[in-house]
Amino acid sequence: MAMDEKKPYIIAIIIQVIYTGMFVINKAALDHGLNSFVFIFYRQATASLFLLPIAALVERRNARSMSFLLLFKLFVCALIGITISLNLYNVSLKLTSATVASASANSMPVLTFCLALLLRFNLMHGSARRMEEVKPRSRSGIAKLVGVALCIAGVLVIAFYTGPLLSPVNHHRAFSASTHASTPTHPAWIKGTFMAVLAVLAWSVWIVLQATVLKEFPNKMLVTVTQCVFSVVQSFVVAVVAERDFSKWKLQPDIGLLAIGYSGLVVFGVSYYLQAWCVEMKGPVFLASWAPFNFILTIFCSSFFLGEMVHLGSIIGGIMLCGGLYSVLWGKSKETNIALCSNVEATATNSASQDDLVHKGLEEKKDKHWEENGDATSASVVGQL
């Protein structure tokens, strides 16, 4: 395999490693006492400070063409996809574990598919185009339904079946948080699991809305930066309401500061660019298919660096979520291949029909000249044709 062919695979692995680091470092910061809502505000402020100068240099002229209606849409997108989604995700991470957070991320393609399917049924009589469909009697349709069922079952297993604890790989954890961290109760675990699913659902809604906005204004840099700035204001309001003791807003040179810098610069800055590049090269299905690797890597790293006692139920539920992910992706891939074959056949059929029509028109023209002008004129026309 040539180096250029290896690049998408290398980039996909780097992206999953970055997200594994995010789950582990963020969990460590929250266990050390960093307020989850304050953390999101600082993370988005860091990302904005990183992206704003770049946008000011590159996209300053294009920013003037952004209408008030577009800004309102981006405000809503930022509220759903960043402020609500990230705050729910961080609260769930505090109540559960890095393994659960990583496992729930595998449900995003499945939830996005379900959302697109619901939108299709709600809007199919309007002007909106069909976003998703299921043919229950086809192999692809069955695969999609099985994937949705596995996804739901995986979430229920993680929430309601903890199972025996598996010993950590490393008993001398690098990010010790014995003075702050506590073992979550079972009700808190259930609450945290479903909050993680709600966070992924909000992210799925954002993906659908983002696609609509980018069709109207296809400037990824300005769309991203604008949403990031809006999320700073929104996250600040949420953080002020949730944490009014401003002494807890002070940053210390510890794991909390590392988590803010890592999430704001590496995750929001570097990984988003790598994802866009990878999707452009190999498509969204290719990138999504690497998500289970992140789950496996997070299990190992959370156990090694955090000393997490991983529940057997989390592993079983995570495997079911990964199975649901691959089932839906396989169904989508099968439908895409069938659609491509149908388009090729239709194009060939149309081309053949056009050739037949042209040939028929030439024959009719020849017969008409034969009838009107006789043998000599008709022979001349046939020669010209």
Side-chain angles (χ1 to χ4, degrees), residues 160-280:
F160 297 105
Y161 174 68
T162 54
L165 289 170
L166 305 180
S167 297
V169 176
N170 178 24
H171 294 278
H172 303 285
R173 45 187 164 178
F175 303 130
S176 178
S178 57
T179 57
H180 295 282
S182 60
T183 303
T185 62
H186 192 59
W189 184 275
I190 295 174
K191 179 182 177 182
T193 301
F194 283 103
M195 288 185 76
V197 175
L198 287 176
V200 176
L201 181 61
W203 186 258
S204 301
V205 173
W206 175 83
I207 290 174
V208 176
L209 295 176
Q210 180 93 337
T212 304
V213 171
L214 286 174
K215 286 184 178 179
E216 177 185 342
F217 189 78
N219 190 312
K220 295 178 183 178
M221 172 61 77
L222 282 178
V223 167
T224 301
V225 173
T226 305
Q227 290 183 77
C228 192
V229 173
F230 280 145
S231 69
V232 173
V233 179
Q234 296 164 354
S235 300
F236 177 76
V237 173
V238 173
V240 168
V241 173
E243 183 56 80
R244 299 184 181 182
D245 183 5
F246 282 94
S247 64
K248 295 183 179 180
W249 286 58
K250 294 181 179 179
L251 295 178
Q252 304 294 333
D254 55 9
I255 188 65
L257 188 61
L258 175 63
I260 291 170
Y262 184 87
S263 296
L265 300 178
V266 180
V267 176
F268 202 90
V270 178
S271 74
Y272 279 27
Y273 171 78
L274 293 178
Q275 286 180 84
W277 185 89
C278 193
V279 168
E280 186 177 358

Side-chain angles (χ1 to χ4, degrees), residues 349-365:
T349 302
N350 291 335
S351 178
S353 299
Q354 290 177 358
D355 290 342
D356 291 340
L357 290 173
V358 171
H359 182 70
K360 184 178 180 181
L362 292 175
E363 291 292 335
E364 291 177 352
K365 189 174 181 180

Side-chain angles (χ1 to χ4, degrees), residues 21-36 39 90 93-94 175-177 180-181 251-252 254-263 306:
M22 181 190 72
F23 291 130
V24 174
I25 295 173
N26 288 4
K27 176 62 176 175
L30 295 174
D31 286 347
H32 275 78
L34 180 63
N35 183 281
S36 60
F39 170 56
N90 265 18
L93 185 61
K94 190 174 182 64
F175 303 130
S176 178
H180 295 282
L251 295 178
Q252 304 294 333
D254 55 9
I255 188 65
L257 188 61
L258 175 63
I260 291 170
Y262 184 87
S263 296
L306 301 176

